[in-house]
Structure formats: structure tokens, C-alpha cells
Amino acid sequence: MTLRQKQGLILLLTVVGLVLALWHPNVVVMAAGIMLLLAASLLYLVWMRCPECGAWFGKYPGDYCKDCGAKIPWDEKTKRNL
């Protein structure tokens, strides 16, 4: 999964969580929306990190890491280390 795909999934979870939490009258569905928002926040903190140094990208990630200066591979699939 590329970083751009991960970013899209986080955005989708955030939007669905907001819709469920704010506009649905059922308390159980609202709680599910809040859980989706929490999951999206956790995934953002875990996934949005520099592959070279591990630094968090922050609010406005660019093309290069702010800490180490490495180019961020937004569209490259990450290699799994087993």
C-alpha cells in the first residue's frame, strides 16, 4: 500500500466517522463514528512517517522530510520486512 493510498484511507475513515458521529440520531451509530475517528487518528500517527528516519510528517507533508531531507515516496509501495 502506498503512502498516498494510506492517506486516502485515513481521509475516508475520517469523513465516514464525522458523518456518523454528527448526523445520525442513534447513539450506537454515533459511538461507531467516534471509534472510526479515533482509528483514523491512530492510523495517521502510525502511517504518516518518513520511511528513512521515522519522523512524523506533521500537518502539511511535502515532497521531502523536514527532519532528514529524504524524498518522500508517495506513490511507491512499501516493502514488507518479514
Side-chain angles (χ1 to χ4, degrees), residues 14-53:
T14 303
V15 169
V16 171
L18 278 173
V19 168
L20 292 178
L22 296 177
W23 288 296
H24 203 280
N26 190 347
V27 175
V28 175
V29 177
M30 287 173 61
I34 292 170
M35 294 303 290
L36 283 176
L37 287 171
L38 291 173
S41 299
L42 180 66
L43 287 176
Y44 187 73
L45 291 174
V46 171
W47 280 348
M48 293 294 114
R49 296 189 170 273
C50 175
E52 295 296 322
C53 68

Side-chain angles (χ1 to χ4, degrees), residues 2 7 22 25 59:
T2 67
Q7 195 176 34
L22 296 177
K59 283 186 185 180

Side-chain angles (χ1 to χ4, degrees), residues 61-75:
D63 289 332
Y64 295 92
C65 177
K66 292 175 180 68
D67 287 349
C68 69
K71 182 155 177 53
I72 299 171
W74 287 105
D75 295 317

